Amino acid sequence: MIETNRTQSPYVKALACSAFTFALALCALYLGYTLPSFTTSTEAVSQLLALVMVPGLMVGLLAKKSTKAWPIWLIICTFVALLVVITIVHEITAPMRS
C-alpha cells in the first residue's frame, strides 16, 4: 500500500482558526459591532460560536480527507471563504428564524 502525504493535525489547525475568529468576534461584540440578526448579547455569543465552529470543522474534514497535504495558508483561506458564505446564509435566513 502506498502511503500518501497527508496534512498533520488538520482539525487542530482549522479549529485554531475558529478560536482566533471567535476571540476577534467577542472583541467586536464588546465594542458594539454585531451582525444585524443578533438581538441580545447572550444570543450573539452562542450564534457566534456556532458560526465559527462550523467552518472550522468543515475545513478540518476537507483537509483530513485530502490525499495531498494542505499548507496552513490553504486552511486559512478555505476557512475564511466558508466563514463568509455561512455568515451570509445566516443573515439571509435570519427572518425565517424569528
Side-chain angles (χ1 to χ4, degrees):
M1 188 187 261
I2 299 173
E3 185 67 27
T4 59
N5 189 13
R6 296 209 174 204
T7 306
Q8 297 297 317
S9 306
Y11 285 108
V12 172
K13 293 175 183 176
L15 290 176
C17 292
S18 291
F20 180 74
T21 306
F22 184 66
L24 285 177
L26 283 181
C27 289
L29 183 64
Y30 178 74
L31 293 174
Y33 299 102
T34 63
L35 291 174
S37 64
F38 296 159
T39 56
T40 65
S41 295
T42 307
E43 179 184 286
V45 171
S46 63
Q47 287 185 14
L48 281 174
L49 183 62
L51 281 173
V52 298
M53 290 298 288
V54 170
L57 292 171
M58 289 172 67
V59 170
L61 180 66
L62 290 172
K64 183 176 176 70
K65 294 293 183 181
S66 177
T67 57
K68 295 183 180 181
W70 281 33
I72 192 70
W73 63 266
L74 184 59
I75 290 174
I76 292 170
C77 290
T78 308
F79 174 81
V80 169
L82 280 174
L83 180 65
V84 168
V85 169
I86 289 173
T87 304
I88 290 171
V89 169
H90 177 268
E91 288 301 306
I92 290 172
T93 60
M96 290 182 239
R97 291 188 306 269
S98 301

